Amino acid sequence: LCSSAAALAFSPPATQNARVVNGAKSASFLSAEPTETGAATTAVVVAEPTTTESSINDSLQIPLSYNEMVLQASQCMSDAYSAGITRQIVRILLPRDANADRLGVQFEADAETDNRQSDFKLVPNDESWQGGIMQLYRAASPTTKDILRQLCTTSATTGVPPRIIEDRGIDESGVDGVGLLYTQVGNSNTGGGGDDNAATNDDEEINGGGFGLFGESVTLPTLADNDMCVFVQPNQEVAEFVDKLSTQTLSSTPLIALLNPQWRQVDDALDSASKSGGVFGAFASFLGGKGSVLRRLDELRYQPTFTLEGYVCKGGNIRLIKRFDSDWVVFAENDSGEQYVKVGSLAERPTYQDVEKMLDDKGVGYKYARDLGMAPKL
């Protein structure tokens, strides 16, 4: 667990009421049973002031450590669940060894997230990862487990971590960097003879029935009301499994999330074409456009709830952050690399040109010019 105090701040996927603690929203524990209209609640309801989108924008900060990011992402997912969003799309940065960002190095070690004193940093999912999508998965999987531990009931009420099962069976090739992680808190089962007991200290990994064309069919878990399921780095090939699990789960109570989907936020030519109807759109989807997948996710009511991403603009690191109830807020890394400075916000996702204009409006010069003393320091 990230910390015992933080564990008390996060509720499981359950009917919740939000309260304000030190100016930040924190989830309160309520019953996992859906609340009927007019029924009296057994939880103590704490009155809170009305939170505006502007105040949420002002409260957003870029996490500077792995622990901060896990807490921030899980808090936002909990807030979104309390707002009735049980099908979520989450994008986060990934932990990476601080000495492993040099291109051309023969071997790049994975970040050890089990050692919280380890020296690693948060990095966007870009082409600088030399190990490709599988190295990204090796960083995303333990991060997802830490987020699930923060969200799960048993972590905060009993101090016992939940049983988290990692199923790689949905990755038919075995090298696409896709996985399925889910908790077993109630009387859910995996369909494969797994232990149906309450949470234990042990995580479990399932490799599925086999990879490739002749592998056995994938068996998806049956989720109880308090269970949570995360598709890690899903691509368009596993969209059918997302569809099947989302529709076969009769109750809308379990949280199902997509973490770091492999399709991009921005559209290329095929993506734009696939969003159109008719034969042309279907053909573009067949060639790899994401339009048909996004339409189906919209039908299943999947919504982006937390987004933390980044790239380089004018030679410096840029971070974009958004909650389900906020605007897009843009930050630029200062020259010391110790913090991020807010440079602007927009209701729609800022383009590269929008970010460049924000930097210009703030008087932020190119990184090389700042380093050489030709422009003011940031």
Side-chain angles (χ1 to χ4, degrees):
L1 296 179
C2 287
S3 70
S4 58
L8 295 175
F10 299 103
S11 68
T15 307
Q16 304 172 21
N17 177 71
R19 58 190 174 91
V20 174
V21 179
N22 295 328
K25 291 186 70 177
S26 175
S28 301
F29 282 100
L30 297 187
S31 169
E33 298 297 326
T35 303
E36 297 181 1
T37 304
T41 177
T42 58
V44 176
V45 179
V46 181
E48 66 169 69
T50 303
T51 304
T52 64
E53 187 174 272
S54 176
S55 64
I56 294 175
N57 291 346
D58 294 339
S59 68
L60 288 177
Q61 297 292 331
I62 300 301
L64 300 179
S65 69
Y66 176 79
N67 286 3
E68 289 179 12
M69 185 187 69
V70 168
L71 295 179
Q72 195 170 8
S74 54
Q75 176 66 77
C76 183
M77 293 173 71
S78 177
D79 291 344
Y81 189 94
S82 68
I85 306 175
T86 61
R87 304 293 183 261
Q88 304 186 15
I89 301 175
V90 179
R91 292 180 181 270
I92 59 174
L93 306 178
L94 294 177
R96 187 178 189 181
D97 189 280
N99 298 317
D101 59 351
R102 300 187 303 275
L103 292 175
V105 177
Q106 183 176 6
F107 175 76
E108 179 176 339
D110 294 331
E112 295 292 338
T113 58
D114 289 338
N115 179 11
R116 297 310 172 87
Q117 304 303 318
S118 175
D119 183 20
F120 52 77
K121 57 184 179 180
L122 302 175
V123 181
N125 313 326
D126 55 25
E127 65 279 358
S128 67
W129 293 73
Q130 299 176 64
I133 195 64
M134 286 305 298
Q135 184 186 9
L136 289 170
Y137 182 84
R138 292 195 297 272
S141 175
T143 305
T144 304
K145 291 179 181 179
D146 283 338
I147 291 175
L148 289 175
R149 291 185 183 108
Q150 286 295 326
L151 287 168
C152 190
T153 314
T154 57
S155 295
T157 57
T158 68
V160 179
R163 182 189 185 196
I164 300 176
I165 298 175
E166 180 176 7
D167 189 348
R168 294 270 290 118
I170 62 173
D171 187 353
E172 294 185 351
S173 70
V175 293
D176 284 339
V178 181
L180 178 64
L181 275 71
Y182 56 95
T183 62
Q184 285 193 318
V185 178
N187 293 322
S188 58
N189 62 77
T190 65
D195 184 3
D196 292 340
N197 293 331
T200 69
N201 287 307
D202 300 324
D203 294 343
E204 181 178 341
E205 182 173 356
I206 300 176
N207 289 322
F211 298 131
L213 180 63
F214 301 103
E216 298 177 10
S217 60
V218 175
T219 301
L220 296 174
T222 301
L223 301 178
D225 285 345
N226 280 334
D227 285 336
M228 295 166 286
C229 176
V230 178
F231 287 87
V232 181
Q233 298 187 156
N235 55 21
Q236 291 165 228
E237 285 70 26
V238 302
E240 60 177 305
F241 299 126
V242 177
D243 190 335
K244 183 178 179 181
L245 183 60
S246 301
T247 53
Q248 80 176 17
T249 303
L250 299 179
S251 171
S252 62
T253 303
L255 170 65
I256 303 178
L258 313 180
L259 185 131
N260 286 2
Q262 293 188 32
W263 51 84
R264 297 175 60 194
Q265 290 265 49
V266 295
D267 295 342
D268 57 20
L270 276 178
D271 293 331
S272 299
S274 66
K275 292 181 178 180
S276 62
V279 177
F280 183 65
F283 183 66
S285 295
F286 174 76
L287 293 178
K290 63 187 179 185
S292 61
V293 173
L294 296 184
R295 282 195 297 272
R296 183 53 182 156
L297 291 178
D298 286 340
E299 294 170 0
L300 296 171
R301 298 185 177 182
Y302 277 87
Q303 300 181 41
T305 54
F306 182 75
T307 302
L308 176 61
E309 56 186 28
Y311 50 79
V312 174
C313 183
K314 301 187 75 170
N317 288 325
I318 298 296
R319 296 291 183 262
L320 285 73
I321 187 170
K322 186 186 187 308
R323 284 172 49 105
F324 67 98
D325 51 2
S326 77
D327 291 334
W328 287 87
V329 185
V330 182
F331 290 81
E333 186 181 38
N334 69 353
D335 290 333
S336 66
E338 297 176 351
Q339 63 180 359
Y340 285 84
V341 179
K342 181 179 177 180
V343 295
S345 63
L346 285 176
E348 300 297 326
R349 187 182 188 276
T351 63
Y352 183 91
Q353 291 73 21
D354 292 331
V355 173
E356 191 172 32
K357 184 177 184 303
M358 291 177 185
L359 294 174
D360 290 339
D361 292 343
K362 293 288 186 179
V364 179
Y366 283 91
K367 182 67 166 61
Y368 78 87
R370 303 198 305 267
D371 291 342
L372 295 175
M374 301 167 58
K377 290 289 186 180
L378 178 61

